[in-house]
Amino acid sequence: MKISSLLTLPSINDASRKIHDRSLTPMQLVESCLSNIHKHETTIHAWVVIDEEGARKTARSQERLLESGLDPGPLAGIPIGVKDIIDVQGFPTRAGAPPDLKSPEPISVDAVVVAKLRAAGAIILGKTVTTQFACMDPSPTRNPWKTSQTPGGSSSGSAAAVALGMCMFALGTQTGGSIIRPSSYCGVVGLKPTHGRVSMDGIVPVSRVLDHVGPVCACVSDARIIYSIMNDARDDE
């Protein structure tokens, strides 16, 4: 099966400008992404968990801030997915473990990179599928261009979700090629930062000297914006 046309959303820059000039609302973006999830998730299997009500609650809160003349942040209203080896407060981190293993307890603290994005206003829709522990068997996620083919791994769900407009960007991780490979297979943009530029605290390790976390986005300009928020380096580095 081939999905004939992939769905598109505005760029992050355009969406942010429209949200701040009140021509677009956070709830509209959230609902657009959820609509795409409802349409394609049963075929693509990009998500481990989707927090619809949590995302809507955050969107409503941001709209109230905007109505009051306050700025929820540069990523206000931008719905995102987070690879399920990265800690997100309120969700267990299963890391692609087989379903017959006992589910871990929900995490109490965001990974550092998630906390940065949340503080900037990003709305977390849920957690995206990874291969087992980011390095083992293929994931159930299918390639959105041709569902009989692999989306690549290990950040399978993140790349497929962005390609189908299920979220505006997603976090992936890479030890060998796990950001750039699925991004390439799914026709989106993956950015692997320089090692050490983005904190790996709160992320299940594969190799501490090779692991990276980076964004999977619809376009290069989106990746630049997200990296500028994720980046831990000082301005003079």
Side-chain angles (χ1 to χ4, degrees):
M1 174 185 175
K2 181 178 179 180
I3 295 174
S4 58
S5 62
L6 302 190
L7 302 173
T8 60
L9 293 166
S11 70
I12 289 172
N13 185 61
D14 285 348
S16 179
R17 175 177 52 78
K18 290 178 179 179
I19 283 172
H20 286 88
D21 71 17
R22 309 292 300 283
S23 61
L24 179 68
T25 68
M27 187 65 77
Q28 287 173 323
L29 276 181
V30 166
E31 293 297 346
S32 292
C33 290
L34 289 176
S35 176
N36 293 340
I37 290 171
H38 295 159
K39 185 173 182 179
H40 295 295
E41 175 59 13
T42 56
T43 301
I44 299 300
H45 308 295
W47 298 86
V48 177
V49 61
I50 303 159
D51 184 17
E52 296 193 24
E53 289 312 307
R56 291 186 176 110
K57 181 179 179 180
T58 302
R60 285 192 291 268
S61 176
Q62 291 183 353
E63 288 178 3
R64 288 193 291 270
L65 289 173
L66 289 162
E67 289 166 1
S68 300
L70 301 175
D71 185 358
L75 296 182
I78 304 300
I80 75 169
V82 179
K83 183 179 179 179
D84 192 28
I85 68 165
I86 303 171
D87 289 347
V88 176
Q89 185 180 29
F91 300 101
T93 299
R94 292 193 54 86
D100 55 336
L101 293 183
K102 182 180 178 181
S103 180
E105 294 297 315
I107 295 296
S108 60
V109 179
D110 284 334
V112 169
V113 66
V114 173
K116 282 189 170 188
L117 295 170
R118 198 193 291 272
I123 297 177
I124 298 172
L125 285 181
K127 303 198 78 176
T128 55
V129 171
T130 175
T131 62
Q132 286 187 32
F133 305 103
C135 58
M136 299 298 183
D137 296 336
S139 78
T141 306
R142 307 314 306 153
N143 189 304
W145 292 94
K146 190 173 184 181
T147 55
S148 62
Q149 304 297 315
T150 177
S154 61
S155 305
S156 313
S158 292
V162 172
L164 279 171
M166 294 175 171
C167 55
M168 294 193 65
F169 76 92
L171 290 180
T173 63
Q174 176 163 319
T175 306
S178 295
I179 293 173
I180 59 175
R181 178 174 49 247
S183 296
S184 175
Y185 287 13
C186 293
V188 293
V189 173
L191 189 155
K192 181 197 77 66
T194 299
H195 189 264
R197 287 296 181 103
V198 182
S199 173
M200 291 294 295
D201 289 350
I203 301 175
V204 176
V206 178
S207 168
R208 294 191 185 277
V209 297
L210 296 173
D211 290 344
H212 303 72
V213 58
V216 177
C217 302
C219 62
V220 171
S221 63
D222 284 359
R224 180 186 59 80
I225 291 168
I226 302 309
Y227 177 63
S228 71
I229 294 169
M230 297 169 59
N231 186 6
D232 287 332
R234 299 189 306 270
D235 290 340
D236 59 350
E237 289 186 320

